[in-house]
Amino acid sequence: MPLSGLRPAPTHVLAHLSDPHLIAGAGLLAGRIDTREQLRKALARVEASGERIDALVVSGDVTDRGDVASYELFQDMVAPVVERLGCALVVTGGNHDERHPMAQVLHGADTDDPQDRVTEVRGLRIIAMDSAVPGYHHGGFSNGQFDWLARELAHPAPHGTILVLHHAPIAYRSPVMQLLDFDGVERLREVVEHTDVRAVLSGHLHVTSFGTLGRVPVLVAGGVSYVDDVGAPRELLMGVDGPQSWNLVEVHTDQVVATVVPVEQHPTWPALSDAVRDYLQTVPEARRREAFSRKRT
Ligand SMILES: [Fe+2]
Ligand SMILES: [Fe+2]
């Protein structure tokens, strides 16, 4: 039986993955990253977490080259996981994606229009928007997209809204990545202000980072494929294979909590023994903190 904590369980749990940069076939990303294997490992960790996932969120750069075969591979890899988890799938495009093949494969739509969508899971509204500017690597929304978002947000959802867009609307440290960031942060802040948006989930930076859009937290998931080496000087953009991760996003009635989950399964050991866990089960909840927290000399 799982040990209950002192705080209520989250109302919703999201697995937020970003930047799989999937490549169908034999090619390696940057000549060294097996993107299929990276996504496989990340999805395995999502399932192994034992969490009751409400939505699997993939915030863009789904594929590296925007080709049909890579979207089909994504579909083939993700669909069985979503089926087993019984969760919603929320996907949005990034600068490495191409709208037409993505819409075709993932949504059965023959269009170049951005596939902006609303998914509602037991009262939590997840709005996923394509922030890729066609023909460019920086991000932004068209006037039509800004208007659509404002209309959607005009009415609150019971548990509020999570907004998903690839280009993180925060001031990331890399001067190079700032050339490729979201063009229109101030306008986005104004649209989101005074609405029920509780968090923005983004990617694109290939590093876990946190910031704010007005008073709304922006939670950036590190890349599933590869990560930017943040220990290097900001002028450099150095890829690193090792600390890839995704974010476990827990939505509570009063807060949103993001926890970083490494893609790689590192060696583990029981930091809490079975005996202690079994003992805690026997302690009434009101005395559990005293029983576990008190230092023993
Ligand atoms: Fe990316
Ligand atoms: Fe990107």
Side-chain angles (χ1 to χ4, degrees):
M1 192 174 75
L3 188 67
S4 62
L6 298 183
R7 300 182 190 279
T11 58
H12 299 80
V13 180
L14 314 176
H16 174 204
L17 282 61
S18 199
D19 295 84
H21 283 254
L22 259 187
I23 297 173
L28 298 177
L29 185 66
R32 61 179 74 218
I33 302 291
D34 183 339
T35 57
R36 181 199 296 239
E37 179 61 5
Q38 285 301 117
L39 181 59
R40 186 199 66 73
K41 287 192 287 191
L43 293 171
R45 293 281 271 163
V46 171
E47 289 200 82
S49 72
E51 296 291 338
R52 192 213 60 207
I53 305 291
D54 292 290
L56 178 66
V57 177
V58 183
S59 58
D61 284 358
V62 174
T63 68
D64 194 56
R65 300 163 187 169
D67 57 306
V68 166
S70 296
Y71 291 111
E72 287 174 342
L73 173 61
F74 176 78
Q75 189 93 295
D76 289 348
M77 293 180 72
V78 166
V81 176
V82 166
E83 170 89 25
R84 285 194 292 273
L85 291 172
C87 70
L89 175 63
V90 176
V91 183
T92 193
N95 51 301
H96 280 263
D97 292 305
E98 292 296 335
R99 285 182 177 174
H100 192 274
M102 189 168 177
Q104 195 182 10
V105 177
L106 300 189
H107 302 293
D110 183 18
T111 178
D112 290 324
D113 292 341
Q115 296 301 296
D116 300 335
R117 280 180 153 70
V118 179
T119 303
E120 192 151 331
V121 185
R122 295 185 296 102
L124 180 70
R125 176 169 57 189
I126 306 171
I127 299 181
M129 296 188 68
D130 191 335
S131 62
V133 176
Y136 289 90
H137 281 292
H138 73 271
F141 288 159
S142 66
N143 288 332
Q145 284 180 294
F146 273 118
D147 292 345
W148 177 84
L149 178 60
R151 279 198 303 277
E152 291 297 327
L153 293 175
H155 303 287
H159 284 276
T161 296
I162 302 293
L163 178 62
V164 182
L165 68 154
H166 179 66
H167 295 79
I170 61 173
Y172 182 56
R173 68 193 281 269
S174 162
V176 175
M177 288 305 288
Q178 287 177 15
L179 298 174
L180 307 183
D181 70 4
F182 188 90
D183 186 10
V185 172
E186 187 57 23
R187 187 171 176 188
L188 181 61
R189 187 191 61 73
E190 286 170 6
V191 171
V192 164
E193 197 173 33
H194 305 307
T195 69
D196 70 347
V197 173
R198 301 183 59 193
V200 176
L201 307 187
S202 293
H204 187 55
L205 301 180
H206 285 253
V207 67
T208 307
S209 192
F210 306 106
T212 51
L213 178 68
R215 300 172 71 88
V216 177
V218 177
L219 313 173
V220 184
V224 163
S225 53
Y226 74 95
V227 179
D228 181 27
D229 184 10
V230 192
R234 63 177 61 216
E235 294 76 19
L236 303 177
L237 209 53
M238 302 291 293
V240 56
D241 182 14
Q244 292 92 329
S245 65
W246 52 276
N247 285 354
L248 183 70
V249 178
E250 296 175 279
V251 180
H252 294 262
T253 53
D254 61 344
Q255 60 180 301
V256 178
V257 179
T259 304
V260 180
V261 185
V263 167
E264 199 63 45
Q265 173 69 66
H266 298 286
T268 61
W269 70 92
L272 179 70
S273 71
D274 289 351
V276 172
R277 199 186 59 227
D278 291 346
Y279 164 68
L280 286 174
Q281 297 274 21
T282 69
V283 178
E285 193 175 294
R287 291 202 289 113
R288 211 170 274 162
R289 193 198 295 272
E290 173 67 20
F292 189 58
S293 171
R294 178 180 285 279
K295 291 182 178 178
R296 288 167 177 79
T297 51

